[in-house]
Amino acid sequence: MITAAVFQMTKTNVLTVDPADINRSIQTGEVRTRGAELEAKASIFNGVDATLAYAYLDAEVTESTDNDLGMVPVNVPHHIASAWLNYTVPDGPLKGLGVGGGARYIGSSWNDNANTSKNPSYTLVDAAVSYKVTDSLALQLNVNNLLDEEYTTTCAFGSCYYGPGRRVIGTLSYRW
């Protein structure tokens, strides 16, 4: 299955600096985003599934009382991509056991309104293990940022903010 989308969105009433008082904000800004998204899903062979996705974003501040008119909004990357491969044992004594892994890429983004300083791009690796105990009962373990990559999501006002480190989530689910 392949899906594609081309879009243009306009966000209005974005907060901008109040020209009468720079310590206040007013809702007069506008941001236009044009882009495209592609996603492909395939069952490669018995029990193996793959997903690939890519998004391109072209965002621009189209109305503002600040110095960011015509600039790219803060923290909006041009490129985002992901890939995921999953294998589920189709039969035998391990039937229902699944393992998966993939990567997420987030492109660089601006971290100031004047577009003078960039946050670097980063890639994160994720993994999952699941087991369908019965038709109703399933166990799953997900690990986000498997390699515990240290990365910044934004830097502003002299401080940088780091993205989450390795995160492990276990799930037990039951379907009636």
Side-chain angles (χ1 to χ4, degrees):
M1 177 178 75
I2 296 175
T3 59
V6 177
F7 59 87
Q8 177 173 316
M9 302 180 295
T10 302
K11 182 178 179 180
T12 59
N13 296 323
V14 176
L15 290 177
T16 61
V17 174
D18 185 345
D21 181 356
I22 62 168
N23 296 315
R24 298 177 59 118
S25 297
I26 54 176
Q27 291 178 269
T28 59
E30 181 178 275
V31 174
R32 183 201 66 228
T33 305
R34 295 177 177 155
E37 294 180 349
L38 298 170
E39 183 177 45
K41 291 185 174 205
S43 291
I44 299 172
F45 52 88
N46 195 21
V48 178
D49 299 312
T51 302
L52 299 172
Y54 172 76
Y56 172 77
L57 302 173
D58 178 22
E60 179 182 345
V61 176
T62 52
E63 291 183 24
S64 179
T65 58
D66 204 356
N67 65 346
D68 59 349
L69 188 61
M71 301 294 183
V72 177
V74 172
N75 292 331
V76 178
H78 284 296
H79 307 280
I80 301 170
S82 65
W84 185 264
L85 194 61
N86 195 70
Y87 174 68
T88 304
V89 178
D91 50 31
L94 296 177
K95 180 181 179 179
L97 177 65
V99 293
R104 295 175 283 144
Y105 170 81
I106 307 296
S108 62
S109 62
W110 296 105
N111 62 30
D112 66 336
N113 288 343
N115 290 174
T116 60
S117 175
K118 274 194 169 183
N119 296 309
S121 62
Y122 56 90
T123 302
L124 302 175
V125 175
D126 302 323
V129 177
S130 62
Y131 184 63
K132 192 171 182 181
V133 180
T134 68
D135 286 341
S136 301
L137 183 64
L139 303 166
Q140 186 160 334
L141 184 71
N142 290 61
V143 183
N144 297 101
N145 192 2
L146 178 69
L147 305 177
D148 202 22
E149 188 73 29
E150 188 175 281
Y151 61 100
T152 56
T153 57
T154 187
C155 291
F157 306 110
S159 297
C160 290
Y161 300 92
Y162 290 94
R166 182 182 304 120
R167 186 175 57 187
V168 179
I169 300 171
T171 306
L172 171 66
S173 60
Y174 186 83
R175 291 179 172 237
W176 280 268

